[in-house]
């Protein structure tokens, strides 16, 4: 009798382990797909940059606008900014952000996107969307910059 119970428990253990492995694989695939959907491409002149976005309501709202072509104007010798076609949700967003080089943000009071090419410090109403993976020098130039932003699929 003990052998039958032990055999039954061994079969159940193997079966449960395989279900856990399948579930874990599906979770990892889903996480990878989500991570992939949070990457964007920015075309600035002949340069192609990528950025990694965070997962937030504001970011998802921003992604829904893509693709976008914007003219980013210099602001305060620190960032390039542009109005967006609509205001983004700030549901669940912190009250502000301490911006640093490469940050892609949404400034809720004005409804614009900003890419920081210099550190700025804390600003109330500033919501982090993500960060450039590299290539900030494309924005650290005088005047305006035309950029096309699209989701990497």
């Amino acid at each position: 009798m003990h052998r039958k119970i032990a055999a039954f428990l061994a079969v159940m253990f193997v079966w449960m382990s395989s279900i856990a492995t399948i579930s874990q694989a599906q979770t990892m695939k889903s996480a990878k797909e989500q991570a992939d959907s949070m990457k964007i491409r920015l075309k600035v002149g002949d340069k192609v940059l990528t950025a990694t976005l965070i997962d937030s309501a504001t970011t998802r709202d921003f992604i829904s606008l893509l693709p976008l072509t914007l003219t980013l104007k210099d602001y305060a010798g620190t960032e390039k900014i542009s109005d967006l076609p609509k205001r983004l949700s700030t549901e669940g967003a912190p009250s502000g952000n301490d911006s640093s080089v490469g940050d892609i943000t949404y400034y809720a009071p004005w409804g614009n996107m900003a890419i920081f090419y210099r550190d700025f410090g804390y600003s109330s109403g500033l919501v982090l969307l993500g960060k450039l993976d590299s290539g900030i020098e494309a924005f650290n130039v005088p005047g305006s910059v035309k950029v096309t932003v699209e989701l990497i699929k």
Side-chain angles (χ1 to χ4, degrees):
M1 182 71 165
H2 290 293
R3 286 185 197 173
K4 286 183 181 181
I5 292 173
F8 174 76
L9 290 175
V11 168
M12 290 301 292
F13 176 76
V14 170
W15 180 71
M16 300 273 295
S17 294
S18 66
I19 289 175
T21 301
I22 291 169
S23 176
Q24 182 180 17
Q26 289 172 337
T27 300
M28 288 174 60
K29 182 180 177 188
S30 175
K32 181 182 179 341
E33 287 170 355
Q34 184 178 12
D36 290 345
S37 70
M38 299 303 282
K39 287 283 220 182
I40 57 172
R41 179 180 304 113
L42 298 96
K43 295 178 184 175
V44 184
D46 61 348
K47 295 179 178 89
V48 177
L49 314 172
T50 60
T52 303
L53 302 180
I54 64 168
D55 186 14
S56 70
T58 308
T59 302
R60 288 188 297 274
D61 211 9
F62 174 70
I63 287 172
S64 75
L65 299 175
L66 302 181
L68 274 177
T69 298
L70 303 167
T71 299
L72 299 172
K73 298 176 183 165
D74 198 70
Y75 185 76
T78 305
E79 62 194 283
K80 299 287 191 204
I81 66 170
S82 180
D83 291 332
L84 293 173
K86 73 171 192 112
R87 292 200 172 260
L88 304 179
S89 166
T90 55
E91 180 182 334
S95 60
N97 184 58
D98 186 11
S99 297
S100 60
V101 172
D103 282 354
I104 301 171
T105 62
Y106 173 65
Y107 188 56
W110 293 353
N112 65 17
M113 180 182 86
I115 298 178
F116 285 83
Y117 59 88
R118 289 206 175 105
D119 289 342
F120 182 71
Y122 183 85
S123 182
S124 182
L126 196 62
V127 180
L128 182 67
L129 299 174
K131 192 164 192 84
L132 286 172
D133 296 330
S134 64
I136 192 61
E137 60 278 355
F139 297 99
N140 191 0
V141 296
S144 299
V145 174
K146 187 173 182 178
V147 62
T148 299
V149 184
E150 56 194 14
L151 186 63
I152 296 176
K153 295 182 182 181

